[in-house]
Amino acid sequence: MNLFDRFILTIYSFALIILSCIAIAATSGLLSPDLFRPYVEQMLSGTNWAYLIVAIIFLVVSLRFFFSSFRSQKPKTDRGIRQRNDLGEVNITIQTITTIAERAARRVKGVRDMKTFVKALESGNIITLRVSVDGETPLPELTQKLQQDVKDQVEGIAGVVISEVTVVVTEVAQQENYAARKRVE
């Protein structure tokens, strides 16, 4: 359900709540029938445009929600990178690309921890690596090797063209924390 439908459903529900409360109050005797008589007579006396427009709006909204409940939902396919070849279509999921990229990045000396994000865009596929490094390997060499290895590995295994590999160095890992964590693993 899109944002517009949610908005209309909220207003529609609110209007039905108000009408239900009025109907309950009128039928239980809390409100005098004389209070509603002028409005009912006005509706039944002829063509009153305000009542007609409100009734048509309620009818259209009701029909829209009624028929949308019968609309079949397309099975949700995994988002991915689609490629077409002579034999058909291949869809490689974003998670698969992420796993290949992380495996390649972990092999680079100096990388301690990372988060990987993959974007499949019309202009090209982009991989963003947010890495924590050991602080001993020079960053220009480490980031360049990281970019090249990830690009080569993903393109070689998945056959997907990577237009950009962005590396964001988020922190330098503490040496003693890394040694303690390595012993635990």
Side-chain angles (χ1 to χ4, degrees), residues 18 30 54 60 62 99 124 128 131 162:
I18 291 173
L30 295 175
V54 169
V60 168
S62 298
T99 303
T128 303
V131 297
I162 302 299

Side-chain angles (χ1 to χ4, degrees), residues 81 118-127 160-164:
I81 300 170
V118 178
K119 287 184 187 173
L121 303 173
E122 294 287 327
S123 58
N125 303 309
I126 299 171
I127 297 175
V160 173
V161 178
I162 302 299
S163 62
E164 183 179 321

Side-chain angles (χ1 to χ4, degrees), residues 1 156 171:
M1 185 178 287
E171 69 176 337

Side-chain angles (χ1 to χ4, degrees), residues 95 97-117 127-134 137 142-143 145-151 153-154 165 167 170 173 178 181-182 185:
Q95 182 59 43
I97 303 297
T98 301
T99 303
I100 295 168
E102 285 179 353
R103 187 176 297 155
R106 291 195 193 287
R107 291 182 187 145
V108 175
K109 182 181 182 276
V111 174
R112 294 293 172 240
D113 197 19
M114 84 184 74
K115 282 191 174 183
T116 307
F117 305 97
I127 297 175
T128 303
L129 301 168
R130 297 180 58 82
V131 297
S132 172
V133 297
D134 64 3
T137 309
L142 184 134
T143 55
K145 181 157 180 49
L146 196 56
Q147 287 174 313
Q148 193 62 51
D149 287 2
V150 168
K151 180 177 173 46
Q153 192 78 6
V154 171
V165 177
V167 177
T170 58
Y178 176 69
R181 192 172 69 198
K182 191 167 186 163
E185 292 174 353

Side-chain angles (χ1 to χ4, degrees), residues 18-30:
I18 291 173
L19 289 174
S20 298
C21 289
I22 292 171
I24 290 169
T27 57
S28 65
L30 295 175

Side-chain angles (χ1 to χ4, degrees), residues 3-180:
L3 186 61
F4 178 74
D5 285 343
R6 289 180 186 173
F7 177 72
I8 295 298
L9 183 60
T10 303
I11 292 172
Y12 183 76
S13 299
F14 185 70
L16 286 178
I17 289 169
I18 291 173
L19 289 174
S20 298
C21 289
I22 292 171
I24 290 169
T27 57
S28 65
L30 295 175
L31 295 176
S32 169
D34 295 331
L35 184 66
F36 299 105
R37 189 163 289 129
Y39 298 110
V40 172
E41 287 175 359
Q42 194 177 28
M43 276 192 291
L44 299 176
S45 68
T47 307
N48 190 325
W49 289 105
Y51 292 120
L52 181 63
I53 290 171
V54 169
I56 289 172
I57 289 173
F58 266 88
L59 177 66
V60 168
V61 171
S62 298
L63 289 173
R64 176 179 171 91
F65 288 128
F66 179 75
F67 287 117
S68 69
S69 67
F70 292 114
R71 227 182 295 161
S72 66
Q73 294 289 330
K74 294 181 184 176
K76 192 172 185 179
T77 58
D78 287 335
R79 292 182 333 161
I81 300 170
R82 295 181 184 271
Q83 295 179 331
R84 191 125 184 91
N85 60 26
D86 295 339
L87 300 174
E89 186 176 273
V90 176
N91 183 25
I92 301 173
T93 64
I94 298 294
Q95 182 59 43
T96 302
I97 303 297
T98 301
T99 303
I100 295 168
E102 285 179 353
R103 187 176 297 155
R106 291 195 193 287
R107 291 182 187 145
V108 175
K109 182 181 182 276
V111 174
R112 294 293 172 240
D113 197 19
M114 84 184 74
K115 282 191 174 183
T116 307
F117 305 97
V118 178
K119 287 184 187 173
L121 303 173
E122 294 287 327
S123 58
N125 303 309
I126 299 171
I127 297 175
T128 303
L129 301 168
R130 297 180 58 82
V131 297
S132 172
V133 297
D134 64 3
E136 295 175 5
T137 309
L139 289 179
E141 293 171 18
L142 184 134
T143 55
Q144 187 174 11
K145 181 157 180 49
L146 196 56
Q147 287 174 313
Q148 193 62 51
D149 287 2
V150 168
K151 180 177 173 46
D152 293 344
Q153 192 78 6
V154 171
E155 288 181 345
I157 292 176
V160 173
V161 178
I162 302 299
S163 62
E164 183 179 321
V165 177
T166 303
V167 177
V168 179
V169 179
T170 58
E171 69 176 337
V172 175
Q174 297 289 335
Q175 197 64 354
E176 58 273 357
N177 288 348
Y178 176 69

